Amino acid sequence: MSEKNREGKRTAREKLAVEREKQRSADKRRRALIVGGAVVGVLGLAAVIGVVAANAGKDDDSETSGPVVAPSGAQGKDGLAIPVGKDSAKSTLTVWEDFRCPACKSFETAYRPVIHELTNAGQLKAEYHLVTLIDGNMRGTGSRNAANAAACAQDAGKFPAYHDVLFDNQPPEADDAYADNGKLIELAGKVDGLDTPAFRACVEDGKHNGWVAKSHQAFDKADFSGTPTVLFDGKNIYQDRTMTPAKLKQMVQEANQG
């Protein structure tokens, strides 16, 4: 083989080696770009997931509760109880209620006559705590708005009568009719002397919304099982399957004799 031919073959091999090296370099760059792009994609997805997670549960339309303004005459811890009856009564019935709660209406229908009888006679003091359980379960603001309106009625010295009107006219649980302040004001017309400019302003301004929210927080912290929760001198009696209005009356009378 001539020197010229050997030189030609060597040059061809060197060119081939150079081309192969270029190809390997190109492949490396391509793989690096693919992996880099995948990493950026994963990081980008993670960032998106992070933003979604960070915003999960946030409600841009949620309303702030506002300042905590207790209604006139509110008593108990943090002023969260609306009292009915004489402070001198020996026995106390504590009732946690939601104006949208059907079970609360059932309790009121069955027990209201004896509760009125005992509070009017000075034998029992009832303390009402208002909560917004159904608003959380069914969505809406009817529980809160009705509780605020009841607190406004307390300011006017008309809580017991308006409390009863709200339960007597309770809409179906899924119907958030009490979210309409106009409806709450309309029902105030059923209580003599309640529908006044001061009451209307209190309802429409949500004067006691913050107080209602604080009352519900107290309900949550107490870890009660639901509404109504009814305590007689601190003991949960609504869970007692043998409890009746007549039995409650007997318990109050016996406590007063002791």
Side-chain angles (χ1 to χ4, degrees):
M1 182 180 294
S2 67
E3 186 65 28
K4 185 176 181 180
N5 286 338
R6 283 197 296 271
E7 183 65 26
K9 288 182 177 181
R10 185 166 54 248
T11 301
R13 285 196 300 270
E14 290 173 352
K15 287 181 177 180
L16 182 58
V18 170
E19 289 300 323
R20 285 176 176 172
E21 184 60 31
K22 287 181 178 179
Q23 186 64 42
R24 281 196 295 270
S25 297
D27 288 343
K28 286 181 180 180
R29 286 195 299 271
R30 185 165 57 253
R31 284 195 297 271
L33 288 173
I34 292 172
V35 172
V39 170
V40 171
V42 170
L43 292 176
L45 179 59
V48 171
I49 292 174
V51 170
V52 172
N55 286 285
K58 291 183 179 179
D59 185 357
D60 293 336
D61 296 328
S62 62
E63 297 179 359
T64 58
S65 296
V68 177
V69 181
S72 177
Q75 298 179 354
K77 184 180 179 181
D78 297 325
L80 297 178
I82 295 179
V84 175
K86 297 179 180 179
D87 289 336
S88 60
K90 292 184 178 181
S91 298
T92 300
L93 190 73
T94 303
V95 184
W96 296 79
E97 290 182 319
D98 183 326
F99 287 112
R100 289 180 68 185
C101 164
C104 296
K105 180 176 181 177
S106 296
F107 166 77
E108 286 293 331
T109 300
Y111 285 82
R112 180 191 298 167
V114 72
I115 292 174
H116 281 340
E117 178 187 345
L118 294 170
T119 53
N120 290 338
Q123 298 180 40
L124 179 69
K125 176 183 177 182
E127 294 183 344
Y128 291 93
H129 295 258
L130 309 181
V131 299
T132 58
L133 194 64
I134 306 303
D135 282 357
N137 293 343
M138 304 295 294
R139 302 299 180 189
T141 60
S143 298
R144 184 200 65 184
N145 289 16
N148 171 68
C152 295
Q154 171 66 11
D155 288 340
K158 304 286 185 178
F159 173 81
Y162 188 63
H163 163 275
D164 292 354
V165 165
L166 287 175
F167 278 116
D168 288 344
N169 293 272
Q170 184 188 78
E173 185 177 12
D175 181 357
D176 196 24
Y178 282 170
D180 180 5
N181 286 329
K183 177 66 174 179
L184 297 170
I185 292 172
E186 176 188 334
L187 290 175
K190 295 179 178 291
V191 179
D192 290 343
L194 179 57
D195 187 6
T196 64
F199 174 80
R200 288 181 173 233
C202 182
V203 171
E204 291 169 349
D205 294 343
K207 178 181 178 180
H208 299 296
N209 284 352
W211 176 83
V212 174
K214 190 169 183 179
S215 179
H216 185 79
Q217 288 170 5
F219 174 81
D220 282 340
K221 290 178 181 178
D223 200 27
F224 293 128
S225 60
T227 53
T229 292
V230 185
L231 311 175
F232 178 69
D233 288 341
K235 181 182 177 181
N236 194 330
I237 62 169
Y238 199 65
Q239 293 179 338
D240 182 354
R241 294 181 180 274
T242 68
M243 185 58 58
T244 63
K247 184 175 179 178
L248 173 60
K249 182 176 180 178
Q250 181 181 357
M251 290 169 63
V252 171
Q253 291 175 337
E254 289 176 354
N256 287 336
Q257 292 172 359

